[in-house]
Amino acid sequence: MKRLIAMIALMTPAAFGLAMADTPRQMGDAYGAAAGAGYQASAPRGADFYARRFGVSEKMASCTACHTDKPAQPGEHVITGKAIKPLAPGANAERFTDPAKVEKWFRRNCREVVGRECTPGEKADFIAFVAEGR
Amino acid sequence: MKRAMLAIALAAASVGALADRMPIPAGAPPAFKAECGSCHLPFPPALLAADDWRRVMNKLDRHYGDNASLDEKAHRQIGDFLVKNAGSSRKLGGAGGDPPRLTLTDWFRKEHDEVPASTWKDKRVGSAAHCGACHARAEQGSYRERELRVPGMEGKRHGRD
């Protein structure tokens, strides 16, 4: 019995870790649900948001400034020149699998580029567009 | 006398080491690479003095044109790590900029005094913080002159070694 409890205790962090890993679809669904009952995420709306020139930051006027016109392509940080892996999950399987990381970057980049936090609906649309992988 | 010689040899070795090999020191919290290495190379802590790192960490919301704010735990871990592994202010000199920039210490400027203005302006370089634009193995913490690949100077010998 003791051994069984020990085994369960050992397995729990692993099981928890697995539960933490999400798919882009699950993450998009979660943001969609947070946007309100009946919200339908839209890839075309996400595409428009992705390409829109907010102009809040001179160098980072839009998402495309660092991530290029196509989320499936590698990007480059517009100030430091550091390579950025593609946003599209089809080109980079790590994307949109870690909710905390996704939320952190939405928070940072939305403030920087959009000038405010993004809404759950905008995030759901963004993921719907990026997950198309073009 | 022997002790003096040893001191000189050690000093020379450490100057060389500062110039050539700057791997991320052991004991770096995972947050260091994850947070400081997402927009730029996770810079070697030895490139700024402790007081200058403190000033950088106290202004993360205005981080050279970006908001790089951290949660409290990551902020403390990274700050402690940077200060503990900071460089010597005597060797580096004070850093210019507000917050201070490790590309504006006396040491950094002297090390890069041969780099022509045209190279700094080259689109492939873009920023003095883009170490990897010329230091091909910067990601591995290696800055040896023989590894230099300066955009626009391909094939030319460059450096003092």
Side-chain angles (χ1 to χ4, degrees):
Chain A
M1 184 60 188
K2 254 191 189 160
R3 190 178 287 177
L4 183 65
I5 291 172
M7 273 179 67
I8 291 168
L10 278 172
M11 282 167 67
T12 309
F16 189 67
L18 278 176
M20 291 293 285
D22 258 332
T23 64
R25 176 183 288 264
Q26 285 168 329
M27 225 171 279
D29 287 350
Y31 282 124
Y39 188 86
Q40 287 286 324
S42 150
R45 217 160 41 216
D48 172 70
F49 182 87
Y50 182 83
R52 197 181 310 161
R53 259 190 86 82
F54 295 96
V56 173
S57 156
E58 190 191 332
K59 284 194 171 164
M60 298 179 184
S62 66
C63 306
T64 60
C66 295
H67 294 292
T68 82
D69 293 341
K70 296 189 172 66
Q73 287 179 351
E76 198 175 84
H77 194 283
V78 73
I79 295 174
T80 67
K82 186 180 166 78
I84 300 173
K85 289 178 190 164
L87 270 183
N92 174 10
E94 275 179 37
R95 290 295 187 195
F96 304 102
T97 57
D98 179 345
K101 201 169 170 184
V102 169
E103 194 41 34
K104 174 189 133 184
W105 284 105
F106 269 134
R107 192 169 54 243
R108 271 194 61 170
N109 290 346
C110 288
R111 280 186 195 158
E112 195 69 39
V113 178
V114 186
R116 57 168 172 80
E117 303 251 349
C118 294
T119 65
E122 284 167 337
K123 294 174 189 175
D125 293 346
F126 184 93
I127 293 176
F129 164 62
V130 164
E132 286 184 337
R134 280 183 247 161
Chain B
M1 184 58 192
K2 253 192 187 161
R3 189 175 287 176
M5 294 274 285
L6 183 64
I8 291 166
L10 280 173
S14 71
V15 168
L18 181 58
D20 286 352
R21 290 272 314 145
M22 286 182 285
I24 300 306
F32 174 66
K33 218 177 158 191
E35 300 294 346
C36 308
S38 52
C39 297
H40 54 68
L41 189 89
F43 297 124
L47 290 185
L48 267 187
D51 273 351
D52 284 333
W53 279 127
R54 287 191 190 98
R55 287 161 62 203
V56 170
M57 293 302 289
N58 286 338
K59 274 203 179 162
L60 284 181
D61 57 331
R62 280 161 290 156
H63 192 68
Y64 320 105
D66 205 346
N67 182 342
S69 302
L70 297 170
D71 65 55
E72 195 194 330
K73 187 177 163 204
H75 192 276
R76 181 168 26 84
Q77 288 179 340
I78 292 171
D80 289 351
F81 168 72
L82 289 171
V83 166
K84 186 177 162 208
N85 293 282
S88 137
S89 59
R90 195 171 39 81
K91 203 182 287 176
L92 295 166
D98 180 29
R101 292 174 184 264
L102 57 84
T103 54
L104 291 179
T105 63
D106 297 339
W107 176 84
F108 186 97
R109 289 195 228 219
K110 186 159 166 286
E111 285 291 311
H112 295 85
D113 62 2
E114 303 158 282
V115 180
S118 57
T119 299
W120 293 119
K121 287 190 201 123
D122 191 296
K123 274 192 90 149
R124 291 164 289 182
V125 178
S127 157
H130 190 191
C131 308
C134 302
H135 296 279
R137 299 191 66 242
E139 289 270 3
Q140 288 80 41
S142 182
Y143 294 82
R144 301 201 303 188
E145 300 229 4
R146 70 170 69 153
E147 291 157 3
L148 278 172
R149 303 283 178 274
V150 182
M153 290 192 177
E154 288 83 0
K156 283 190 201 164
R157 285 286 296 156
H158 180 85
R160 290 182 272 245
D161 68 347

